[in-house]
Amino acid sequence: MDRSRLAGVPGLAVLDEDGIRIPTATILRVWELVSGPAWETGGSDRVMELWRPGGLGVWDYLFAVSGTLGDAFQVASRRLTAIADPADRLVVTREDDGGATVSWQGPYRDHPDYPVIAEFATYMMLVMASSGAGRRITPVRVHLPHRSPAAPGHLMELFGTRRVEFETGEPSITFARADIEAPLPPVVTGSRGRRATE
């Protein structure tokens, strides 16, 4: 995509300012601009491959300093408004087998780019979990709200599991108990640093 197309998008002036959330209307406009070229060059996985942990500031930090992934997602769910629209929600539900499902609830179901946004939000949770654990995590299953593409193999490869289910309501990802409860590797944070216990 020609970067000049982003120049006229209102709200991007705050992109490099710490502590200021980009307006929701701005984010949706960027998705509109990106989604066309993304699908033309291989699908939403191309967009997702460009994103790395560290771009979301203190919210990312929660996955580096929490005791377990379960702790990290619980705190992250309460602090989601630091990076997302106040109407967005991250819901953590414990499964009967001790695992946990993390669901993203956003107010964009009728937006044309909702399928791409839902895939990205779900993949972001997987990348954050893997980053915090210091290893690639294989989810138990992934739920996506839209119809299956004609060739869903690229999404199965991206998420690292064949258990990617479509037309399931809210986008969500389920982690095994062993991954949710395992202690995260220690982080060297300096004399004042400590893991989050909230």
Side-chain angles (χ1 to χ4, degrees):
M1 186 182 72
D2 185 347
R3 288 177 179 268
S4 66
R5 295 181 65 190
L6 294 173
V9 178
L12 282 183
V14 301
L15 191 59
D16 295 321
E17 296 182 34
D18 290 338
I20 299 179
R21 185 179 62 78
I22 299 173
T24 300
T26 300
I27 294 173
L28 292 176
R29 179 60 185 140
V30 170
W31 272 114
E32 291 169 2
L33 292 172
V34 168
S35 63
W39 289 116
E40 292 168 9
T41 57
S44 60
D45 49 330
R46 175 63 182 139
V47 176
M48 292 185 269
E49 288 169 357
L50 294 173
W51 182 81
R52 296 288 181 269
L56 298 176
V58 70
W59 196 81
D60 280 5
Y61 184 68
L62 297 174
F63 289 84
V65 298
S66 294
T68 66
L69 284 180
D71 295 339
F73 276 117
Q74 287 291 347
V75 178
S77 69
R78 295 195 295 271
R79 301 291 181 254
L80 187 63
T81 53
I83 61 166
D85 187 290
D88 284 299
R89 294 182 64 212
L90 205 61
V91 178
V92 182
T93 306
R94 290 306 292 248
E95 300 292 324
D96 291 340
D97 62 4
T101 296
V102 184
S103 303
W104 172 65
Q105 300 174 356
Y108 321 111
R109 288 181 177 273
D110 296 328
H111 194 279
D113 294 307
Y114 180 65
V116 183
I117 298 169
E119 288 178 9
F120 178 79
T122 309
Y123 181 70
M124 184 181 77
M125 290 184 276
L126 174 61
V127 173
M128 293 308 305
S130 297
S131 176
R135 60 185 172 82
R136 172 71 182 198
I137 290 181
T138 300
V140 173
R141 64 181 173 272
V142 174
H143 283 172
L144 297 173
H146 51 280
R147 293 180 180 176
S148 172
H154 72 285
L155 287 174
M156 295 176 182
E157 182 176 342
L158 187 73
F159 286 106
T161 179
R162 298 192 63 79
R163 295 197 63 190
V164 178
E165 301 173 20
F166 299 90
E167 298 184 85
T168 57
E170 295 162 351
S172 67
I173 186 166
T174 300
F175 298 97
R177 178 178 182 176
D179 292 323
I180 283 293
E181 296 184 352
L184 296 180
V187 177
V188 178
T189 58
S191 58
R192 295 180 357 184
R194 57 187 176 85
R195 285 195 176 276
T197 57
E198 183 179 357

